[in-house]
Amino acid sequence: LNPVYQWQERYNNGVWMNIPGTNATSYTSNFSPSNNTGLYEYRLTIAENGNQGSAQCTISSLPFIVNVNANPLATASNDGPVCKGSKINLTANGGNQYSWTGPNNFSAAGTQTSINNIQYSQAGIYTVTVTNAAGCSSRGTTSIMVNPKPVAGTSFTDTSICIKGRVPLMAMGGIFYDWSPAVGLSSVNIANPIASPEVTTQYRVVVANNFLCLDTAYLKVNLISNAIARAGPDKSTAPGIP
């Protein structure tokens, strides 16, 4: 006996086709991302040498089936850039299961995950492995940027003035300022307004930097009542009497 072997392939119940160069008893098929999804069938045909072209002289093995599923289209995103110390949310789509990895041994699962009180060391690229119902997987990435937070400061935290007095306030640490309450202030959006409150008032200033990250500071202006002069009761005297 001098058998000749030939592997054949059929796609989606189409026509059986010889696979060129596959004349051994084993065959390995590699599926690349460019392969169409669907039903692939393979079988091995055997014929005596010289009879390969005769259907009557050729026998075939039972086919085995390979169902090629699509890889998921993984997407990953975040709602940054974010300010240091705040919360950032990561979101992935495209599959049924999600596995996240990132800087500082970060790991999480789920289509959505969050990082609270984020620090500079947690900035960087986050990768999510997305798996679909068929068990196929692909990866998506998103980059997190952490911006610096300003440090709000004031020239004092507590001071006192007399009624109808005035005192200059001073804030620092940013490029935008928002004071409250507005009552008694010459301006609410500068670093150094003049305060002339009518009652003791605690002022709050919100400081923002060029990334619009925020910090808050407080100062108090105490009102002191004016002194009242008293010279005693009125008196009268007769002329010539000291």
Side-chain angles (χ1 to χ4, degrees):
L1 295 178
N2 186 17
V4 175
Y5 303 99
Q6 175 64 58
W7 284 93
Q8 294 182 329
E9 178 185 64
R10 181 169 69 171
Y11 174 65
N12 280 349
N13 297 315
V15 177
W16 284 104
M17 303 290 293
N18 290 337
I19 303 173
T22 58
N23 306 116
T25 56
S26 62
Y27 167 66
T28 301
S29 180
N30 296 312
F31 295 92
S32 70
S34 62
N35 276 96
N36 293 323
T37 60
L39 199 67
Y40 290 80
E41 294 179 87
Y42 296 90
R43 70 183 183 183
L44 178 64
T45 64
I46 305 173
E48 188 67 23
N49 190 17
N51 294 331
Q52 301 96 308
S54 172
Q56 292 80 10
C57 300
T58 303
I59 60 173
S60 303
S61 67
L62 291 174
F64 62 90
I65 301 170
V66 177
N67 191 10
V68 177
N69 296 287
N71 287 321
L73 181 60
T75 62
S77 62
N78 68 80
D79 59 358
V82 69
C83 301
K84 178 180 178 288
S86 58
K87 176 182 177 181
I88 191 167
N89 300 302
L90 297 98
T91 303
N93 289 290
N96 300 82
Q97 296 179 341
Y98 304 87
S99 178
W100 292 90
T101 58
N104 284 348
N105 297 317
F106 174 84
S107 63
T111 180
Q112 290 187 324
T113 188
S114 300
I115 303 173
N116 296 312
N117 191 28
I118 194 165
Q119 303 299 308
Y120 297 131
S121 61
Q122 294 171 290
I125 295 176
Y126 287 72
T127 301
V128 60
T129 300
V130 178
T131 305
N132 61 18
C136 301
S137 62
S138 62
R139 291 181 176 180
T141 60
T142 184
S143 181
I144 288 180
M145 180 181 296
V146 180
N147 291 323
K149 181 179 179 180
V151 178
T154 56
S155 54
F156 59 85
T157 57
D158 196 294
T159 192
S160 299
I161 61 172
C162 297
I163 293 176
K164 298 189 182 301
R166 296 156 55 90
V167 62
L169 310 183
M170 174 63 72
M172 57 205 74
I175 57 176
F176 304 106
Y177 300 89
D178 183 26
W179 293 86
S180 63
V183 176
L185 293 181
S186 61
S187 176
V188 295
N189 55 11
I190 61 175
N192 54 343
I194 302 298
S196 52
E198 295 182 359
V199 295
T200 294
T201 303
Q202 179 171 265
Y203 289 102
R204 182 186 76 163
V205 59
V206 178
V207 176
N209 60 16
N210 57 313
F211 299 107
L212 299 183
C213 297
L214 308 176
D215 194 24
T216 303
Y218 297 85
L219 57 81
K220 188 176 183 181
V221 177
N222 300 289
L223 222 63
I224 301 174
S225 299
N226 292 331
I228 299 176
R230 296 185 182 277
D234 293 341
K235 294 182 178 182
S236 61
T237 184
I241 299 175

